[in-house]
Amino acid sequence: MENNDINENTIVCVNCPRGCRVRVQSQNGEITNITGYQCDLGIDYAKEEFKNPTRILPTTVRVKGGELELVPVKTARPIPKSRIGEAMRELAGVKVQAPVKRGEVVVEDIAGTGIEVVATRSIALSQDQDNTGKKKETS
Amino acid sequence: MMREHQLVIIGAGPAGLAAALEAEKAGIEDIVLLERDEYLGGILQQCIHNGFGLDYFGEELTGPEYAERFIDDVRESSVKIRLKTMVLNISSDKKIIAINEEEGMIFLKAQAIILAMGCRERTREAIKIPGTRPAGILTAGTAQRFINIEGYLPGKEVVILGSGDIGLIMARRMALEGAKVKGVLEIMPYSSGLVRNKVQCLDDFGIPLKLQHTVDYIYGKQRLEAVDLIQVDDNFNRLPETRERIECDTLLLSVGLIPENELSRDMGLKLAPGSGGPLVNELRETEIPGVYACGNVLQVHDLVDYVSEEAEVAARGAANFIRDSLKKREKEIIIEPGSGINFVIPHKISYQDESRKLIRHFLRVDEPRENIKIVIRDEAGSRIASFGREIVTPGEMETVKLPETLISEGTDRLNFSIEAEGVEENGKQ
Ligand SMILES: Cc1cc2nc3c(=O)[nH]c(=O)nc-3n(C[C@H](O)[C@H](O)[C@H](O)COP(=O)(O)OP(=O)(O)OC[C@H]3O[C@@H](n4cnc5c(N)ncnc54)[C@H](O)[C@@H]3O)c2cc1C
Ligand code: SF4
């Protein structure tokens, strides 16, 4: 956006079921005008969403020796939307050792954001596994 | 051998868990919680996304986090938990037959029962799409369990039928896991999902939402190969010239949930049209005294927070029933859904209770509307309360709190309806 053209982005406000289509006009990345909202929440939301859209990322990672194969996790805080793909790629390689406690930090700094990924469920040790890590045949 | 208990709760999802805790708090000492799955928490354990708990806990949690708060407390409580125990039958005199691996058949007798079996998803048969019957067609909730609990992706190229929240959430989940989501189809002219989910699950990933569209045909021998999409007009007539073939190996169905009421039906309970669950009074007591229903078995909730709250109402009712401290009204009040409203829960008000000030009602409207009022009228048609709302949609349950003082002694009927804004008000919430 090197030129001085005025850009218009439409941002759907998610704060209530109305879902106003808020129009953000900008020039060189600076907001020049905001229209289309029906209350002030829409202005704040559109500004934030224009400048730095962020999301909490909920997903799962693998568990070793647990009662379940996976533990659900989330980023402790919202991360920039643009980092979600990278975060998913990093998490694909993560494997945690059971037992896992809810709130336990699984990754300290995800995708260079400085934000932690934490477990959202406790996973106990598998009751029925032998020392190869495989599940025993249950009778 | 028949074991006797004060309270038996069927299902340990958020409804069963909250009911167990509240019943204990209300002084019931002998509570049994039966769950067919191998873990507590119900459907919440597979809903790993955030968005739960804002109402109940005042903070945003994921499904498993919300569940675990209750699970921790239930584990600490005196509630007797039985996992991997499937209830097969309940009789109208409150005898329960269940089965589990260790004991085989077990027989219980309860003073009070709380039904908290949740709901299940409508399946393809229910909507009858023509074509072949290949693998690769599954409900969104089944796919959710495969991905989030069992750890495998059920397909690579996906079409999703139905734009309720579960469909939207699964579109994002599959996209995050690397699948190509080719579109979400919705037969209605609007999505029943939350705006937030439309934006964060579809727009964020460039997934198209096709309103007034459905699947017209299914192709594939072993595995799904393609589907035909088709547009419909305002009267749901298919428009042949809009037919379009889309290659995909997976079709997720998110076409609605049905309360899980086989057990309820077998025990002789009538199911209410609209909500699909048993008829209940304000304590969530069914037509059989001492048998209660709460959570998705009663009405499909979109907010788990309301499930917990409803379960607590049922549990207090059951506790009072066990202690025999309930007082019937002289006349029951029938609650009728009027124009613009699909159903209201409770279906009637049966008890007199001086200690309560408000009776909370949950309702679903039939279509999205702006600047309306939810109006309650008595049998004579006089307005006794009205609640202004800027916007209502069928996808979001509405709730109103009716002050007990507004209900006069002789009332036997209350009608809830949607009316246009403009007339003066007296009960704005
Ligand atoms: C796929 C999906 C996504 C959702 N997403 C959201 C969301 O984002 N935010 C939100 O607030 N809410 C969401 N909800 C709604 C919320 O999760 C539900 O309203 C809530 O889980 C319902 O609780 P419940 O206890 O009634 O039912 P469930 O959680 O379904 O629990 C019922 C339990 O009963 C057990 N059971 C059933 N039959 C028997 C039997 N015969 N014997 C023994 N046990 C039995 C089942 O195994 C289950 O554990 C979602 C719901 C679904 C289905
Ligand atoms: S701008 Fe206000 S009215 Fe419009 S969607 Fe956002 S919160 Fe709702």
Side-chain angles (χ1 to χ4, degrees):
Chain A
M1 282 193 287
E2 289 296 283
N3 59 29
N4 283 336
D5 287 358
I6 293 179
N7 282 302
E8 190 173 282
N9 294 50
T10 301
I11 290 173
V12 179
C13 176
V14 301
N15 285 303
C16 89
R18 256 182 232 272
C20 294
R21 303 178 72 80
V22 184
R23 284 178 296 282
V24 178
Q25 279 182 3
S26 60
Q27 205 169 12
N28 302 319
E30 292 298 318
I31 298 177
T32 50
N33 194 19
I34 301 185
T35 54
Y37 53 87
Q38 290 187 39
C39 77
D40 289 353
L41 284 176
I43 306 180
D44 294 342
Y45 177 80
K47 276 189 192 159
E48 202 46 44
E49 190 69 5
F50 179 79
K51 283 195 224 128
N52 180 30
T54 60
R55 303 282 184 265
I56 296 232
L57 173 63
T59 181
T60 52
V61 301
R62 302 258 154 206
V63 185
K64 257 187 284 195
E67 54 179 346
L68 295 170
E69 301 287 317
L70 298 177
V71 58
V73 299
K74 69 174 183 187
T75 54
R77 281 181 288 132
I79 62 170
K81 209 168 104 177
S82 55
R83 296 297 178 81
I84 287 178
E86 196 183 331
M88 283 301 289
R89 282 189 292 279
E90 272 185 31
L91 288 168
V94 173
K95 198 157 186 178
V96 295
Q97 180 67 50
V100 185
K101 194 79 200 96
R102 168 167 50 104
E104 188 178 311
V105 176
V106 169
V107 175
E108 295 209 339
D109 173 4
I110 189 71
T113 58
I115 291 169
E116 295 172 338
V117 172
V118 296
T120 58
R121 177 177 184 177
S122 303
I123 304 287
L125 278 172
S126 166
Q127 298 296 313
D128 56 351
Q129 67 167 15
D130 61 29
N131 50 16
T132 68
K134 288 220 182 81
K135 278 204 167 176
K136 273 194 294 197
E137 301 293 330
T138 37
S139 51
Chain B
M1 191 187 80
M2 176 96 62
R3 276 168 287 191
E4 299 215 2
H5 298 282
Q6 282 183 301
L7 176 61
V8 176
I9 301 171
I10 323 253
L17 292 168
L21 289 172
E22 186 69 14
E24 189 195 45
K25 212 155 94 195
I28 304 303
E29 285 161 3
D30 176 18
I31 305 167
V32 178
L33 182 56
L34 304 177
E35 168 56 53
R36 66 177 170 199
D37 221 327
E38 54 194 303
Y39 47 76
L40 300 170
I43 200 89
L44 277 187
Q45 296 288 19
Q46 67 182 58
C47 303
I48 63 163
H49 54 280
N50 50 305
F52 300 82
L54 281 170
D55 204 68
Y56 194 90
F57 289 114
E59 64 183 293
E60 190 172 343
L61 303 169
T62 65
E65 288 173 308
Y66 187 97
E68 208 165 301
R69 293 198 174 190
F70 288 89
I71 293 171
D72 288 348
D73 290 348
V74 167
R75 289 231 174 89
E76 304 249 298
S77 75
S78 64
V79 175
K80 295 179 269 295
I81 304 166
R82 280 157 176 279
L83 294 174
K84 294 197 247 179
T85 302
M86 168 103 175
V87 174
L88 303 175
N89 185 266
I90 311 171
S91 66
S92 55
D93 58 352
K94 291 177 234 156
K95 290 185 187 136
I96 298 161
I97 305 176
I99 187 162
N100 71 27
E101 258 177 44
E102 285 143 43
E103 300 161 280
M105 293 273 233
I106 55 178
F107 301 89
L108 309 171
K109 167 106 180 75
Q111 286 175 40
I113 293 177
I114 298 180
L115 305 174
M117 289 93 72
C119 62
R120 65 187 146 78
E121 294 172 281
R122 276 184 214 281
T123 52
R124 181 177 174 213
E125 280 64 39
I127 50 166
K128 302 209 172 65
I129 308 167
T132 55
R133 296 286 177 270
I137 303 171
L138 62 167
T139 65
T142 304
Q144 190 177 45
R145 187 175 174 116
F146 284 161
I147 300 174
N148 293 344
I149 297 200
E150 286 159 35
Y152 69 92
L153 192 62
K156 287 250 149 38
E157 298 199 305
V158 192
V159 169
I160 299 179
L161 180 59
S163 70
D165 286 312
I166 306 171
L168 300 179
I169 295 278
M170 286 313 294
R172 171 175 65 184
R173 189 68 188 122
M174 301 240 5
L176 277 175
E177 291 294 338
K180 171 121 192 61
V181 183
K182 297 194 158 175
V184 175
L185 316 181
E186 172 58 60
I187 197 155
M188 302 300 287
Y190 51 85
S191 160
S192 58
L194 298 175
V195 178
R196 185 171 94 151
N197 286 338
K198 257 182 295 182
V199 171
Q200 299 190 352
C201 298
L202 300 188
D203 302 354
D204 275 9
F205 296 88
I207 299 169
L209 171 62
K210 292 174 178 279
L211 297 175
Q212 296 195 294
H213 273 77
T214 189
V215 173
D216 195 46
Y217 206 85
I218 289 170
Y219 302 91
K221 290 204 183 74
Q222 304 287 319
R223 177 80 195 196
L224 179 65
E225 284 161 16
V227 296
D228 279 346
L229 314 188
I230 198 162
Q231 202 177 331
V232 299
D233 65 16
D234 291 343
N235 300 316
F236 302 101
N237 297 313
R238 294 170 188 228
L239 306 170
E241 65 280 10
T242 66
R243 188 176 292 125
E244 177 192 359
R245 188 182 293 199
I246 305 242
E247 283 177 24
C248 57
D249 60 13
T250 306
L251 174 65
L252 295 191
L253 303 173
S254 176
V255 291
L257 302 169
I258 326 170
E260 181 82 87
N261 275 298
E262 265 66 60
L263 292 174
S264 326
R265 231 187 322 240
D266 288 350
M267 68 195 293
L269 291 173
K270 274 199 299 283
L271 302 186
S275 57
L279 289 167
V280 292
N281 62 33
E282 78 277 24
L283 304 182
R284 306 300 186 270
E285 184 185 35
T286 65
E287 306 277 85
I288 301 176
V291 176
Y292 296 76
C294 57
N296 281 358
V297 77
L298 176 60
Q299 57 174 332
V300 174
H301 288 260
D302 30 56
L303 266 189
V304 67
D305 306 62
Y306 290 162
V307 170
S308 306
E309 194 184 309
E310 182 168 85
E312 289 166 359
V313 171
R316 287 192 293 270
N320 284 328
F321 176 85
I322 291 167
R323 277 196 296 264
D324 198 15
S325 57
L326 290 167
K327 196 165 115 220
K328 281 252 178 198
R329 290 180 79 87
E330 252 163 56
K331 262 190 194 165
E332 272 189 347
I333 302 173
I334 303 295
I335 311 279
E336 289 177 338
S339 106
I341 292 182
N342 279 346
F343 66 85
V344 183
I345 301 275
H347 303 98
K348 56 186 183 178
I349 299 174
S350 306
Y351 291 100
Q352 197 75 51
D353 180 356
E354 280 73 33
S355 70
R356 77 179 164 211
K357 294 188 176 63
L358 298 160
I359 303 176
R360 191 168 195 179
H361 291 73
F362 293 105
L363 52 103
R364 290 249 181 218
V365 300
D366 61 358
E367 58 180 59
R369 285 175 225 260
E370 296 198 14
N371 300 319
I372 53 91
K373 282 190 281 194
I374 300 166
V375 177
I376 307 178
R377 294 178 187 278
D378 63 15
E379 58 282 338
S382 339
R383 193 168 65 166
I384 66 163
S386 120
F387 305 85
R389 291 289 182 272
E390 285 186 357
I391 183 161
V392 291
T393 80
E396 288 185 45
M397 188 141 77
E398 270 303 324
T399 150
V400 298
K401 289 178 177 162
L402 175 63
E404 178 98 33
T405 48
L406 295 181
I407 309 174
S408 55
E409 198 76 358
T411 300
D412 62 3
R413 198 164 288 272
L414 291 175
N415 182 287
F416 284 55
S417 65
I418 300 291
E419 294 181 13
E421 192 68 85
V423 207
E424 103 292 356
E425 310 192 0
N426 56 26
K428 189 152 177 160
Q429 212 179 325

